[in-house]
Amino acid sequence: MEIKKQPMTSATHSEFTLEALRQIAPSAFTEVRGADGELTQKVDFKVLRELLGDAIADADEESFGFQWVGKQEAKRAAAEPTRQTLRPVVDDSVDWDTTENLYIEGDNLEVLKLLQRAYLGKVKMIYIDPPYNTGNDFVYEDDFAMSGEEMDEAMGNVDEKGNRLRRNLDSNPRYHSDWCSMIYSRLLVARTLLANDGVIFISIDDNEVHHLRKICDEVFGVGNFVTEIAWRRTDNQPNIGKIARVKEYILIYAKNSADYSLGRLSLSEKARAEYRYSDAKGSFRRGILLDKTRGRKFYPKQTKLGNILNGPWMVSEEIFDKLDANDEIYWTESGDGQPYKKIYLKENKGQIPSDFWGIEFGTNQRGSLEVEDLFKQRIFDFPKPVSLLCNLINVGVSNFGDDSLILDFFSGSATTAHAVMQLNAEDGGKRKYICVQLPEETPEGSEARKAGYNTICEIGKERIRRAGKKIKEEAGLMGQDLDTGFRVFRTDLSNMKEVYFKPAKLQQQDLFAQVDSVKADRSELDLLFGCMVDWGVELSYPLRTEEVNGKHLHIVNEGALVACFDKEISVEAVSRIAELKPLRVIFREECFATDADKLNIYEKFKQFCGWNDEEVYKRIHVL
């Protein structure tokens, strides 16, 4: 099915449908060159079927495009549902009851899937700094093309705990393929979280930038490519190797380029210095009105020194006279007295970003010093500088207001969280972040391990605590309402026993022994947040507990969800829940001694809330 060139008539229904499909699934479109040499786009129905969850093509069915060993397995990995859940870790959190920020420990592919229901289309900006595949930094392994046993035998990639971790050495015959599969599956899922007017920034270096461009072109669509920024990462030049490598890249892709517009950067010191003139209206710089190269208007104007200038002018005579009448022309007092337009600093909206960022945006050395200053020792190598992330956030979300949600699923030392807090302190914003990090172990004998930080997650969480405290202290009274807290979650297997998923497989003699389908080690908060994940309730919603007649009610966002996990439920508790007009209610199976008790409670909700049978069975959930 080809997409025709736009005719000079109103669009047909099929054209509207195809355009809508292109916005939802850009990777399902491919370019073909016709006999006339013109490029057109057509739907690749095989890819579309895969995106819709239909059968994924086998390797021998793959056609032309950017291909690598394991690509189809990566698609399957992205499409497969997960049985993992998120368990709250209150003790590691800061301001648990009031914060809107999240820090999640676990494999980011699983976490992204778990976030889909609650955060689908809600993330305004994603920033990631994935492993660069330098040979020692790649620890994500997803078993894309081989079974776990085959991978164990071939590459020894599973540790004694069964974790899918190993280093991706260049001796590995699938050196680039494994990295491509890793990033591809994660980007496929991450794209669903982006808002239609959202944007993603990806840091990368020479090792995989060429592959990453092709992958992003497929995932986000070639037309949604914004730019590739070259960033000078170091403030010195090493004199080793054949050529000094001093730059990295930041790829920028929009979710939908038609809806997205980049923000602007704050003026540099050099640019601000140009506003060296002033009048009653404020500081201004000079703008050229008389230009022999670009000017196209000719008319005579007498300067304050009495000279007559005929042009060529950059503006019409009408506009010139209006500027002069409003005292918006600066007349020089030397030479021929040439006039200039006054361009006021207060009217400047910032400067558009370029595709080259120098050391004024921060360097790796500066990033290392920032972390070292917080911890009083060096415990993390080459973190990104806070200034770099602050500028990216200004470019990424400044057009969306100050309450945007920012996601970083390769969080590392948590520079993104640090930058979000810093910007909020500077401009009073309410930006929120979700940071995700694999609990990768710090090296034996490293300074981090000696200091008691056994995983990267422990470093990231402690950095946020220390940075938040410092930022709040420096902000003084202005920082009283600043959110420097975060809720911590860890991935784990489901809260439910296997019987919950496959009750039909239970043997008759086990029915009564396994009535309770919840695992014994799970707390009420585990169950509550497990349901929030499953039902798509945002994990940052305010949460409080209320006691009614000895029963404990967990109330999320004043009624988005209400849960009671006590072994019995009372009419008074049901009445109080009904007063909250909840969207969803959760009970334990143990609340009801018999099915009759359960039906009685359902009838109470119908009576108190005015729900019909369909609403009762839709809103009430029993674990």
Side-chain angles (χ1 to χ4, degrees):
M1 181 184 297
E2 293 187 357
I3 301 176
K4 306 295 185 183
K5 291 183 177 179
Q6 185 68 28
M8 300 303 292
T9 60
S10 60
T12 65
H13 176 73
S14 63
E15 287 168 336
F16 278 121
T17 303
L18 284 169
E19 182 57 32
L21 179 60
R22 192 205 313 274
Q23 303 304 328
I24 298 171
S27 60
F29 287 78
T30 184
E31 285 189 340
V32 296
R33 190 177 299 277
D36 58 358
E38 291 290 327
L39 280 175
T40 59
Q41 287 194 322
K42 61 181 296 186
V43 178
D44 188 328
F45 286 100
K46 183 167 61 177
V47 173
L48 182 60
R49 287 176 54 207
E50 293 172 354
L51 292 174
L52 294 174
D54 207 341
I56 306 296
D58 293 329
D60 58 357
E61 298 176 355
E62 295 176 342
S63 56
F64 176 78
F66 180 42
Q67 306 294 334
W68 64 88
V69 176
K71 182 177 182 180
Q72 298 306 316
E73 289 298 328
K75 284 184 180 180
R76 290 189 180 94
E80 286 174 356
T82 179
R83 278 202 190 172
Q84 293 199 14
T85 191
L86 296 177
R87 299 182 67 181
V89 188
V90 179
D91 290 344
D92 281 7
S93 306
V94 175
D95 299 331
W96 171 271
D97 293 328
T98 58
T99 185
E100 294 186 83
N101 301 314
L102 306 179
Y103 187 97
I104 305 175
E105 302 178 26
D107 185 318
N108 50 18
L109 179 58
E110 301 300 316
V111 175
L112 290 170
K113 293 178 183 180
L114 291 170
L115 294 175
Q116 274 186 301
R117 285 190 174 136
Y119 296 95
L120 190 73
K122 294 182 179 180
V123 175
K124 292 292 188 179
M125 171 181 165
I126 295 175
Y127 170 77
I128 56 172
D129 185 13
Y132 288 179
N133 209 15
T134 60
N136 293 309
D137 64 341
F138 179 26
V139 296
Y140 290 80
E141 177 53 63
D142 302 287
D143 296 344
F144 289 118
M146 301 182 184
S147 68
E149 294 77 13
E150 290 171 330
M151 194 67 76
D152 288 346
E153 181 179 352
M155 301 189 182
N157 63 319
V158 179
D159 65 18
E160 66 276 8
K161 297 180 182 179
N163 293 324
R164 298 176 298 168
L165 305 175
R166 67 180 175 84
R167 301 211 176 275
N168 192 37
L169 302 174
D170 55 12
S171 58
N172 175 13
R174 291 175 50 187
Y175 178 62
H176 291 290
S177 294
D178 284 354
W179 187 91
C180 288
S181 292
M182 181 276 295
I183 199 69
Y184 181 58
S185 59
R186 287 156 176 80
L187 290 178
L188 283 172
V189 184
R191 183 185 177 276
T192 67
L193 301 179
L194 271 180
N196 282 337
D197 53 358
V199 63
I200 183 169
F201 298 81
I202 310 175
S203 285
I204 199 68
D205 72 358
D206 289 316
N207 287 288
E208 298 291 353
V209 65
H210 48 307
H211 294 144
L212 182 59
R213 278 285 298 269
K214 295 174 184 176
I215 289 172
C216 287
D217 283 346
E218 178 176 329
V219 173
F220 297 100
V222 176
N224 290 319
F225 171 70
V226 178
T227 194
E228 178 178 298
I229 294 175
W231 167 58
R232 176 153 184 156
R233 67 186 180 189
T234 177
D235 52 13
N236 56 39
Q237 180 168 315
N239 195 29
I240 57 176
K242 296 180 179 179
I243 190 167
R245 298 187 180 276
V246 298
K247 73 178 187 311
E248 292 180 6
Y249 308 96
I250 302 171
L251 299 187
I252 309 178
Y253 280 80
K255 173 73 172 290
N256 183 352
S257 58
D259 294 333
Y260 179 71
S261 59
L262 287 174
R264 296 196 171 202
L265 296 170
S266 299
L267 291 179
S268 65
E269 292 183 10
K270 181 179 179 181
R272 188 175 291 273
E274 293 182 8
Y275 292 84
R276 60 183 183 272
Y277 307 95
S278 63
D279 61 14
K281 297 180 182 178
S283 300
F284 66 88
R285 66 178 176 86
R286 303 189 312 182
I288 295 175
L289 288 173
L290 183 66
D291 191 303
K292 294 182 179 180
T293 303
R294 295 178 296 160
R296 294 291 183 270
K297 313 293 184 181
F298 292 89
Y299 48 84
K301 284 298 172 184
Q302 183 174 347
T303 72
K304 302 300 183 183
L305 298 179
N307 297 317
I308 301 297
L309 301 176
N310 289 295
W313 303 103
M314 297 286 290
V315 298
S316 67
E317 186 172 12
E318 180 183 359
I319 293 176
F320 188 104
D321 291 341
K322 185 176 181 180
L323 290 172
D324 197 21
N326 292 333
D327 192 25
E328 295 179 6
I329 289 183
Y330 175 79
W331 297 89
T332 58
E333 299 178 355
S334 61
D336 57 7
Q338 182 174 337
Y340 292 87
K341 179 182 178 182
K342 295 179 180 179
I343 301 176
Y344 290 93
L345 177 60
K346 63 183 180 182
E347 298 173 354
N348 189 286
K349 297 180 181 179
Q351 59 190 51
I352 62 172
S354 73
D355 60 2
F356 177 78
W357 290 18
I359 60 175
E360 66 272 16
F361 289 90
T363 62
N364 280 337
Q365 288 91 337
R366 187 187 301 178
S368 296
L369 288 174
E370 289 166 348
V371 176
E372 188 173 335
D373 180 61
L374 288 172
F375 287 87
K376 308 307 177 187
Q377 63 182 121
R378 180 163 181 164
I379 61 170
F380 198 92
D381 292 329
F382 308 118
K384 293 295 185 288
V386 173
S387 54
L388 178 68
L389 266 297
C390 285
N391 280 293
L392 289 177
I393 292 170
N394 279 332
V395 170
V397 302
S398 62
N399 290 316
F400 305 126
D402 60 4
D403 61 349
S404 301
L405 177 60
I406 299 163
L407 168 65
D408 182 347
F409 54 90
F410 286 96
S411 178
S413 69
T415 303
T416 298
H418 191 161
V420 168
M421 294 187 294
Q422 184 66 53
L423 281 176
N424 286 343
E426 292 174 2
D427 62 14
K430 300 292 183 182
R431 304 171 189 86
K432 304 175 286 290
Y433 65 79
I434 300 176
C435 285
V436 183
Q437 176 59 40
L438 184 77
E440 177 188 351
E441 293 186 355
T442 54
E444 289 285 350
S446 64
E447 293 302 312
R449 183 66 66 91
K450 292 175 183 177
Y453 302 104
N454 296 321
T455 67
I456 300 297
C457 292
E458 292 175 12
I459 295 174
K461 289 180 293 185
E462 184 61 18
R463 178 185 184 174
I464 301 174
R465 296 185 191 104
R466 296 188 182 208
K469 181 180 179 182
K470 181 180 179 181
I471 291 170
K472 210 160 192 175
E473 288 175 351
E474 292 175 348
L477 293 176
M478 299 295 293
Q480 288 184 340
D481 297 327
L482 185 64
D483 185 359
T484 57
F486 56 99
R487 287 181 177 175
V488 178
F489 297 88
R490 289 195 187 110
T491 56
D492 202 340
L493 296 178
S494 171
N495 294 319
M496 314 308 291
K497 298 175 183 176
E498 187 67 18
V499 58
Y500 184 82
F501 300 102
K502 300 179 180 179
K505 292 190 175 182
L506 268 182
Q507 298 296 323
Q508 184 67 36
Q509 60 268 29
D510 294 329
L511 280 174
F512 295 101
Q514 298 195 42
V515 168
D516 186 4
S517 55
V518 177
K519 292 177 180 176
D521 65 338
R522 302 304 162 101
S523 68
E524 291 190 358
L525 273 184
D526 287 332
L527 299 181
L528 177 66
F529 279 96
C531 290
M532 289 171 69
V533 168
D534 292 342
W535 284 353
V537 179
E538 293 187 26
L539 302 176
S540 59
Y541 274 166
L543 169 66
R544 65 182 179 88
T545 303
E546 186 176 313
E547 185 173 332
V548 178
N549 195 30
K551 308 302 178 184
H552 298 87
L553 307 183
H554 297 278
I555 302 169
V556 179
N557 202 31
E558 296 305 317
L561 186 154
V562 179
C564 181
F565 299 115
D566 288 295
K567 291 189 176 180
E568 295 178 354
I569 189 68
S570 64
V571 173
E572 292 83 359
V574 171
S575 176
R576 175 58 185 142
I577 294 173
E579 289 177 7
L580 295 168
K581 303 296 183 183
L583 296 177
R584 305 172 183 84
V585 183
I586 310 171
F587 297 111
R588 289 280 294 270
E589 186 69 43
E590 292 177 308
C591 287
F592 313 107
T594 65
D595 286 343
D597 291 337
K598 186 185 299 184
L599 291 174
N600 182 49
I601 293 298
Y602 286 4
E603 289 299 321
K604 294 294 183 185
F605 273 103
K606 289 167 65 176
Q607 175 186 342
F608 293 148
C609 294
W611 294 347
N612 57 35
D613 288 338
E614 182 180 354
E615 287 177 308
V616 165
Y617 287 100
K618 180 180 179 180
R619 294 175 185 265
I620 300 177
H621 186 67
V622 179
L623 299 180

